[in-house]
Amino acid sequence: MKKVNRRDFLKTSAFTGMALTIGGLRPMTSWGAEPFKIMVGTTFSGASAATGEFVRKGVNLAVKEPGGTVLGRPIEVIERDVPNPNEGVRKAQEAVEKLGCKYLFTSPSSSTALAVMEYAAQKKAFVLPCAGSDAVTGKSCNKYAFRWPSPTWGAAREVVPRVIKEYNAKTFYTITPKYVFGEDLLRNTKEVLAVKGCKLLGNSYHPLGESDFSSHLTKAMASKADCLLFLNFGGDTVNSIKQANNFAVSKVSKIACAWGSGITQMEALGAKVMEGVVWGLQYFYKIDAPGNKKFVAAYERDYKEMPPYIAANPYIAILALLQSVDVAGTDDTDAVAKAMEDREYEGLTGTEMYRACDHQVAKPYYTLKCKGPDAMKTKYDFADIIGSSTNLAPCEETGCTL
C-alpha cells in the first residue's frame, strides 16, 4: 500500500471536512456515502504557487454552492501539485487507479492538460482542462474532456481587431512563448492580421519562465512596429511588460497583451505601468451577468478581494460539472458527458453551453483597456471592458472527432 504523506492527507481532509460542514446538515442519505472525488491538479509550489491558492479558492466556492454534496454524497477534493506534463500524468494515474477518482481538473499549461487528457481518455476519466491550445478541443479532443476557456482561435479573433482599431495599428511585433499554446496563439494572430491587411514585422520566441526579455525587446523596438503584442501568459507577461516599461518601449510602439489573467497581473504591474495598455482576457470581475455578480459577491465575502481568472475558471467548470452530475443522476462518466453536452446553464459570462461537437464552451472573450492611477475609482478599478465577442471555429474545421 502506498503511504500518503502528511501534506497530501491534510489537503484532502481539509476539503472533506469542508464538505461535512458547509451548507449545514446534509441529507441523511449522504451520511456514510462514498465520496464524489475530484482531483485538482495545478501548481501549488515554487514560483507559481500563487496559482494554486487562487484555484483552491475557486474550487472551494464551487463545492460550497451545492452544500458540499452531489447525489447525496460528500464532495472530496484531492489536491495535487502538477508542475509539468509528466507529474500531471503521474498524479492523475495515482488519483484514478489508486484513489478511485473519476473527475479531474488540470491547469495551467496546455502541455500538461493535453498529456492528462490523453491518459484520462484511456480510463474513461473526466477532465476539465484549464488551457488555451486549440488542440484541447481540436485534434486532441476526447469524449471525456470539456473546456471552459476560449481557445486561442477565438481569443485572437476578438482582441487583435480591437487592438488594430484602438491603436490604429498597421504593423505588429510579437513576443511568444515557445510551446504549444504560444504557437497556436501566434498562428491565429497571423491569420487575423492577414485578413485585416496588417503586417507582422517580426516575432521573438522565449522559453517558459524567461527572466530576461532584453534581447526580445531590443528587436521589437528596432522594428518600430505600431504595436508590440505580447502572446505570453502569467508571470512571463508580468516580467516582459515590466521590462518593456523600463526600456521605454511605449515611446516607440503601443503595447498590448492578447492573453492576460487579469486582476492578478494588473496588481503585480500597477496602474502607472499599465495605463493605456489593451488586454485580452477570458474573465474580468466587471462582467455584467447574473452568474458573475453572484460569484463576485461570494468571492469578496469569503476572501475580501476581487476574483481573478484563475479562480473563476475552476469555479464555473466544476460547478457546471456538478450540475451535470445531478442531471445525469449518476457519476458514470459516459452519462455525465452526455448530460453536459449542449446543456445551457447560467455561467459567469451569461448563458453558456458546452458544444456537443467538440466540448468547447460557447462564451465571450473580452478586451479591456487599462486606466492610469488618477482614473481608478477603487483599488481594483484597473481597467474597463471595451469589447467582447464569441468566436468559435466551425465544428467541421476544429479537427475534433469524438
Side-chain angles (χ1 to χ4, degrees):
M1 180 179 292
K2 184 179 183 296
K3 293 183 178 180
V4 178
N5 63 42
R6 183 175 183 273
R7 181 183 181 188
D8 287 341
F9 172 78
L10 289 175
K11 286 180 179 178
T12 302
S13 61
F15 271 100
T16 306
M18 178 187 69
L20 290 171
T21 58
I22 59 177
L25 294 174
R26 88 165 62 88
M28 287 300 292
T29 55
S30 71
W31 289 103
E34 180 69 21
F36 179 91
K37 299 178 181 180
I38 304 173
M39 188 197 96
V40 174
T42 188
T43 50
F44 286 104
S45 63
S48 299
T51 295
E53 290 299 321
F54 287 118
V55 168
R56 179 183 289 129
K57 291 174 180 179
V59 173
N60 187 343
L61 288 179
V63 172
K64 189 175 184 179
E65 190 155 322
T69 66
V70 65
L71 301 179
R73 295 161 54 186
I75 300 167
E76 179 181 326
V77 175
I78 303 166
E79 289 186 355
R80 291 295 182 265
D81 189 19
V82 293
N84 56 58
N86 288 339
E87 281 296 293
V89 172
R90 189 176 73 82
K91 300 294 177 60
Q93 184 176 18
E94 175 195 23
V96 172
E97 298 179 25
K98 295 185 178 181
L99 302 179
C101 183
K102 297 181 181 180
Y103 294 87
L104 316 171
F105 173 89
T106 184
S107 76
S109 78
S110 293
S111 53
T112 298
L114 289 166
V116 171
M117 284 171 54
E118 183 178 6
Y119 161 75
Q122 301 168 17
K123 301 296 182 180
K124 295 187 176 183
F126 207 98
V127 182
L128 301 170
C130 172
S133 172
D134 292 354
V136 171
T137 48
K139 64 182 180 181
S140 299
C141 74
N142 70 62
K143 180 178 180 179
Y144 305 100
F146 289 74
R147 172 170 62 182
W148 186 78
S150 299
T152 64
W153 194 97
R157 282 157 177 79
E158 159 55 32
V159 72
V160 175
R162 303 278 182 195
V163 171
I164 293 170
K165 181 179 179 181
E166 192 70 24
Y167 292 160
N168 191 27
K170 301 297 183 184
T171 57
F172 285 75
Y173 192 95
T174 51
I175 294 179
T176 307
K178 185 65 175 175
Y179 79 114
V180 60
F181 160 77
E183 295 284 9
D184 282 353
L185 189 51
L186 177 59
R187 184 189 70 253
N188 283 297
T189 296
K190 288 178 177 178
E191 291 175 0
V192 176
L193 291 177
V195 169
K196 295 294 184 180
C198 297
K199 189 174 182 180
L200 181 63
L201 300 181
N203 172 71
S204 290
Y205 285 113
H206 68 83
L208 284 173
E210 179 71 280
S211 59
D212 184 1
F213 286 86
S214 57
S215 63
H216 310 297
L217 295 171
T218 299
K219 292 174 184 177
M221 294 179 74
S223 77
K224 297 183 179 179
D226 294 334
C227 177
L228 170 55
L229 180 61
F230 289 101
L231 303 182
N232 46 22
F233 179 74
D236 286 339
T237 308
V238 171
N239 289 335
S240 55
I241 291 182
K242 278 183 178 179
Q243 292 175 43
N245 181 66
N246 293 338
F247 272 67
V249 171
S250 60
K251 292 183 179 180
V252 178
S253 307
K254 298 286 189 180
I255 295 174
C257 171
W259 190 281
S261 58
I263 198 75
T264 51
Q265 289 176 320
M266 295 172 183
E267 288 179 316
L269 287 164
K272 188 174 181 180
V273 171
M274 295 298 303
E275 185 172 6
V277 173
V278 172
W279 286 69
L281 296 178
Q282 295 283 353
Y283 169 84
F284 196 56
Y285 75 92
K286 290 186 178 182
I287 293 171
D288 186 16
N292 185 53
K293 291 178 180 179
K294 180 179 179 181
F295 169 60
V296 170
Y299 195 95
E300 187 175 19
R301 178 197 65 220
D302 285 8
Y303 305 117
K304 314 305 179 188
E305 61 187 6
M306 289 295 109
Y309 157 64
I310 49 179
N313 185 344
Y315 165 79
I316 194 60
I318 290 176
L319 187 60
L321 165 66
L322 296 175
Q323 292 170 353
S324 296
V325 171
D326 267 333
V327 170
T330 175
D331 70 352
D332 177 77
T333 54
D334 287 289
V336 174
K338 185 175 181 180
M340 205 149 173
E341 292 177 342
D342 287 342
R343 183 183 71 84
E344 292 187 345
Y345 64 93
E346 183 179 79
L348 297 180
T349 66
T351 300
E352 298 173 355
M353 178 191 72
Y354 286 93
R355 297 198 303 183
C357 70
D358 59 359
H359 296 174
Q360 173 61 54
V361 152
K363 63 170 279 293
Y365 194 79
Y366 296 86
T367 305
L368 286 73
K369 189 168 185 179
C370 294
K371 303 177 178 182
D374 294 340
M376 294 176 63
K377 297 177 181 177
T378 71
K379 67 177 183 178
Y380 299 109
D381 188 26
F382 288 101
D384 287 327
I385 297 171
I386 61 172
S388 66
S389 59
T390 301
N391 299 282
L392 296 173
C395 291
E396 62 273 15
E397 295 180 12
T398 63
C400 176
T401 303
L402 294 174

Short mmCIF file of all heavy atoms in Angstrom, two decimals, residues 49-82:
data_model
loop_
_atom_site.label_atom_id
_atom_site.label_comp_id
_atom_site.label_asym_id
_atom_site.label_seq_id
_atom_site.Cartn_x
_atom_site.Cartn_y
_atom_site.Cartn_z
N ALA A 49 3.26 29.11 -7.10
CA ALA A 49 2.41 28.59 -6.04
C ALA A 49 1.14 29.42 -5.85
O ALA A 49 0.09 28.89 -5.45
CB ALA A 49 3.18 28.53 -4.72
N ALA A 50 1.19 30.71 -6.17
CA ALA A 50 0.01 31.57 -6.03
C ALA A 50 -1.13 31.08 -6.91
O ALA A 50 -2.30 31.24 -6.57
CB ALA A 50 0.36 33.01 -6.36
N THR A 51 -0.79 30.48 -8.04
CA THR A 51 -1.82 29.93 -8.92
C THR A 51 -2.67 28.91 -8.16
O THR A 51 -3.90 28.92 -8.22
CB THR A 51 -1.19 29.26 -10.15
OG1 THR A 51 -0.52 30.25 -10.94
CG2 THR A 51 -2.25 28.57 -11.02
N GLY A 52 -2.01 28.03 -7.45
CA GLY A 52 -2.72 27.01 -6.68
C GLY A 52 -3.63 27.60 -5.63
O GLY A 52 -4.74 27.11 -5.39
N GLU A 53 -3.20 28.68 -5.00
CA GLU A 53 -4.02 29.32 -3.98
C GLU A 53 -5.32 29.87 -4.57
O GLU A 53 -6.40 29.73 -3.99
CB GLU A 53 -3.24 30.44 -3.29
CG GLU A 53 -2.11 29.96 -2.41
CD GLU A 53 -2.60 29.09 -1.27
OE1 GLU A 53 -3.66 29.39 -0.69
OE2 GLU A 53 -1.92 28.10 -0.96
N PHE A 54 -5.22 30.50 -5.74
CA PHE A 54 -6.42 31.04 -6.38
C PHE A 54 -7.33 29.92 -6.90
O PHE A 54 -8.55 30.01 -6.80
CB PHE A 54 -6.04 31.99 -7.52
CG PHE A 54 -5.51 33.32 -7.06
CD1 PHE A 54 -4.22 33.70 -7.36
CD2 PHE A 54 -6.31 34.18 -6.31
CE1 PHE A 54 -3.72 34.93 -6.92
CE2 PHE A 54 -5.82 35.40 -5.86
CZ PHE A 54 -4.52 35.78 -6.18
N VAL A 55 -6.72 28.88 -7.46
CA VAL A 55 -7.51 27.73 -7.90
C VAL A 55 -8.27 27.14 -6.73
O VAL A 55 -9.47 26.83 -6.82
CB VAL A 55 -6.61 26.67 -8.56
CG1 VAL A 55 -7.37 25.35 -8.76
CG2 VAL A 55 -6.08 27.17 -9.90
N ARG A 56 -7.58 26.99 -5.60
CA ARG A 56 -8.23 26.44 -4.39
C ARG A 56 -9.45 27.27 -3.99
O ARG A 56 -10.50 26.72 -3.61
CB ARG A 56 -7.22 26.40 -3.24
CG ARG A 56 -7.79 25.85 -1.94
CD ARG A 56 -6.76 25.89 -0.83
NE ARG A 56 -5.73 24.90 -1.04
CZ ARG A 56 -4.42 25.16 -1.02
NH1 ARG A 56 -3.99 26.40 -0.80
NH2 ARG A 56 -3.54 24.20 -1.21
N LYS A 57 -9.33 28.58 -4.06
CA LYS A 57 -10.45 29.45 -3.68
C LYS A 57 -11.65 29.24 -4.61
O LYS A 57 -12.80 29.19 -4.16
CB LYS A 57 -10.01 30.91 -3.69
CG LYS A 57 -9.02 31.25 -2.58
CD LYS A 57 -8.51 32.68 -2.71
CE LYS A 57 -7.52 33.02 -1.60
NZ LYS A 57 -6.98 34.39 -1.73
N GLY A 58 -11.38 29.15 -5.91
CA GLY A 58 -12.47 28.92 -6.85
C GLY A 58 -13.14 27.58 -6.65
O GLY A 58 -14.37 27.46 -6.67
N VAL A 59 -12.33 26.54 -6.44
CA VAL A 59 -12.86 25.20 -6.18
C VAL A 59 -13.70 25.19 -4.90
O VAL A 59 -14.79 24.61 -4.85
CB VAL A 59 -11.71 24.17 -6.08
CG1 VAL A 59 -12.24 22.81 -5.64
CG2 VAL A 59 -10.99 24.04 -7.42
N ASN A 60 -13.19 25.84 -3.88
CA ASN A 60 -13.88 25.93 -2.59
C ASN A 60 -15.31 26.46 -2.78
O ASN A 60 -16.28 25.87 -2.28
CB ASN A 60 -13.07 26.86 -1.68
CG ASN A 60 -13.59 26.90 -0.25
OD1 ASN A 60 -14.72 26.50 0.02
ND2 ASN A 60 -12.77 27.41 0.65
N LEU A 61 -15.43 27.55 -3.53
CA LEU A 61 -16.76 28.15 -3.73
C LEU A 61 -17.66 27.26 -4.56
O LEU A 61 -18.88 27.19 -4.32
CB LEU A 61 -16.62 29.52 -4.38
CG LEU A 61 -16.07 30.64 -3.49
CD1 LEU A 61 -15.97 31.94 -4.28
CD2 LEU A 61 -16.93 30.84 -2.25
N ALA A 62 -17.09 26.57 -5.55
CA ALA A 62 -17.90 25.66 -6.38
C ALA A 62 -18.46 24.51 -5.55
O ALA A 62 -19.63 24.13 -5.70
CB ALA A 62 -17.06 25.12 -7.53
N VAL A 63 -17.64 23.96 -4.67
CA VAL A 63 -18.07 22.86 -3.81
C VAL A 63 -19.08 23.35 -2.77
O VAL A 63 -20.04 22.66 -2.42
CB VAL A 63 -16.85 22.21 -3.13
CG1 VAL A 63 -17.28 21.20 -2.07
CG2 VAL A 63 -15.95 21.54 -4.17
N LYS A 64 -18.86 24.56 -2.30
CA LYS A 64 -19.72 25.13 -1.26
C LYS A 64 -21.13 25.42 -1.77
O LYS A 64 -22.11 25.28 -1.02
CB LYS A 64 -19.07 26.41 -0.75
CG LYS A 64 -19.72 27.03 0.47
CD LYS A 64 -18.88 28.23 0.93
CE LYS A 64 -19.43 28.84 2.22
NZ LYS A 64 -18.60 29.98 2.67
N GLU A 65 -21.24 25.80 -3.03
CA GLU A 65 -22.54 26.24 -3.55
C GLU A 65 -23.64 25.20 -3.43
O GLU A 65 -24.76 25.52 -3.02
CB GLU A 65 -22.39 26.73 -4.99
CG GLU A 65 -23.64 27.43 -5.50
CD GLU A 65 -23.34 28.42 -6.62
OE1 GLU A 65 -22.31 29.12 -6.58
OE2 GLU A 65 -24.16 28.50 -7.54
N PRO A 66 -23.39 23.93 -3.79
CA PRO A 66 -24.45 22.92 -3.60
C PRO A 66 -24.44 22.29 -2.21
O PRO A 66 -25.03 21.22 -2.02
CB PRO A 66 -24.13 21.89 -4.69
CG PRO A 66 -22.64 21.93 -4.80
CD PRO A 66 -22.25 23.37 -4.55
N GLY A 67 -23.78 22.91 -1.26
CA GLY A 67 -23.78 22.39 0.11
C GLY A 67 -22.74 21.32 0.36
O GLY A 67 -22.84 20.57 1.35
N GLY A 68 -21.75 21.20 -0.53
CA GLY A 68 -20.69 20.23 -0.31
C GLY A 68 -21.06 18.81 -0.68
O GLY A 68 -20.31 17.87 -0.38
N THR A 69 -22.20 18.63 -1.35
CA THR A 69 -22.63 17.28 -1.74
C THR A 69 -23.13 17.28 -3.18
O THR A 69 -23.53 18.31 -3.73
CB THR A 69 -23.76 16.76 -0.84
OG1 THR A 69 -24.94 17.56 -1.04
CG2 THR A 69 -23.38 16.80 0.63
N VAL A 70 -23.11 16.10 -3.78
CA VAL A 70 -23.74 15.87 -5.08
C VAL A 70 -24.28 14.44 -5.06
O VAL A 70 -23.63 13.53 -4.56
CB VAL A 70 -22.75 16.08 -6.24
CG1 VAL A 70 -21.62 15.07 -6.22
CG2 VAL A 70 -23.48 16.06 -7.58
N LEU A 71 -25.50 14.27 -5.53
CA LEU A 71 -26.18 12.96 -5.49
C LEU A 71 -26.23 12.42 -4.06
O LEU A 71 -26.17 11.21 -3.83
CB LEU A 71 -25.47 11.95 -6.40
CG LEU A 71 -25.37 12.30 -7.89
CD1 LEU A 71 -24.62 11.20 -8.65
CD2 LEU A 71 -26.74 12.52 -8.50
N GLY A 72 -26.30 13.34 -3.08
CA GLY A 72 -26.35 12.92 -1.69
C GLY A 72 -25.04 12.41 -1.14
O GLY A 72 -24.99 11.80 -0.07
N ARG A 73 -23.95 12.66 -1.87
CA ARG A 73 -22.62 12.19 -1.46
C ARG A 73 -21.71 13.37 -1.16
O ARG A 73 -21.78 14.40 -1.83
CB ARG A 73 -22.00 11.33 -2.57
CG ARG A 73 -22.78 10.04 -2.84
CD ARG A 73 -22.43 9.46 -4.20
NE ARG A 73 -21.00 9.26 -4.37
CZ ARG A 73 -20.44 8.87 -5.53
NH1 ARG A 73 -21.22 8.63 -6.59
NH2 ARG A 73 -19.14 8.70 -5.63
N PRO A 74 -20.84 13.25 -0.17
CA PRO A 74 -19.90 14.34 0.12
C PRO A 74 -18.89 14.50 -1.02
O PRO A 74 -18.42 13.51 -1.58
CB PRO A 74 -19.21 13.89 1.41
CG PRO A 74 -19.32 12.40 1.40
CD PRO A 74 -20.63 12.10 0.74
N ILE A 75 -18.58 15.73 -1.35
CA ILE A 75 -17.59 16.02 -2.39
C ILE A 75 -16.22 16.08 -1.75
O ILE A 75 -15.99 16.84 -0.80
CB ILE A 75 -17.90 17.34 -3.10
CG1 ILE A 75 -19.28 17.28 -3.76
CG2 ILE A 75 -16.82 17.67 -4.13
CD1 ILE A 75 -19.80 18.64 -4.22
N GLU A 76 -15.30 15.27 -2.25
CA GLU A 76 -13.94 15.23 -1.73
C GLU A 76 -12.98 15.74 -2.79
O GLU A 76 -12.92 15.21 -3.90
CB GLU A 76 -13.56 13.80 -1.34
CG GLU A 76 -12.14 13.66 -0.80
CD GLU A 76 -11.80 12.23 -0.44
OE1 GLU A 76 -12.70 11.50 0.01
OE2 GLU A 76 -10.64 11.84 -0.64
N VAL A 77 -12.24 16.78 -2.48
CA VAL A 77 -11.27 17.37 -3.40
C VAL A 77 -9.88 16.86 -3.06
O VAL A 77 -9.44 16.96 -1.91
CB VAL A 77 -11.31 18.91 -3.36
CG1 VAL A 77 -10.21 19.50 -4.24
CG2 VAL A 77 -12.67 19.41 -3.82
N ILE A 78 -9.19 16.33 -4.05
CA ILE A 78 -7.83 15.80 -3.88
C ILE A 78 -6.87 16.74 -4.62
O ILE A 78 -6.84 16.78 -5.84
CB ILE A 78 -7.73 14.38 -4.47
CG1 ILE A 78 -8.76 13.45 -3.82
CG2 ILE A 78 -6.31 13.84 -4.31
CD1 ILE A 78 -8.96 12.14 -4.57
N GLU A 79 -6.14 17.52 -3.88
CA GLU A 79 -5.19 18.47 -4.48
C GLU A 79 -3.87 17.79 -4.81
O GLU A 79 -3.34 17.04 -4.00
CB GLU A 79 -4.92 19.64 -3.53
CG GLU A 79 -6.08 20.58 -3.37
CD GLU A 79 -5.69 21.79 -2.52
OE1 GLU A 79 -4.55 21.82 -2.00
OE2 GLU A 79 -6.52 22.70 -2.37
N ARG A 80 -3.34 18.08 -6.00
CA ARG A 80 -2.04 17.57 -6.38
C ARG A 80 -1.25 18.64 -7.11
O ARG A 80 -1.79 19.36 -7.96
CB ARG A 80 -2.19 16.33 -7.27
CG ARG A 80 -2.74 15.10 -6.55
CD ARG A 80 -1.78 14.60 -5.48
NE ARG A 80 -2.26 13.40 -4.80
CZ ARG A 80 -2.93 13.39 -3.66
NH1 ARG A 80 -3.23 14.55 -3.06
NH2 ARG A 80 -3.29 12.25 -3.11
N ASP A 81 0.03 18.72 -6.79
CA ASP A 81 0.94 19.67 -7.43
C ASP A 81 1.41 19.08 -8.76
O ASP A 81 2.03 18.01 -8.78
CB ASP A 81 2.13 19.93 -6.50
CG ASP A 81 3.01 21.07 -6.98
OD1 ASP A 81 2.55 21.87 -7.79
OD2 ASP A 81 4.17 21.14 -6.53
N VAL A 82 1.10 19.75 -9.87
CA VAL A 82 1.47 19.23 -11.20
C VAL A 82 2.23 20.29 -11.98
O VAL A 82 1.67 20.96 -12.85
CB VAL A 82 0.24 18.71 -11.97
CG1 VAL A 82 -0.34 17.49 -11.29
CG2 VAL A 82 -0.86 19.76 -12.09
#
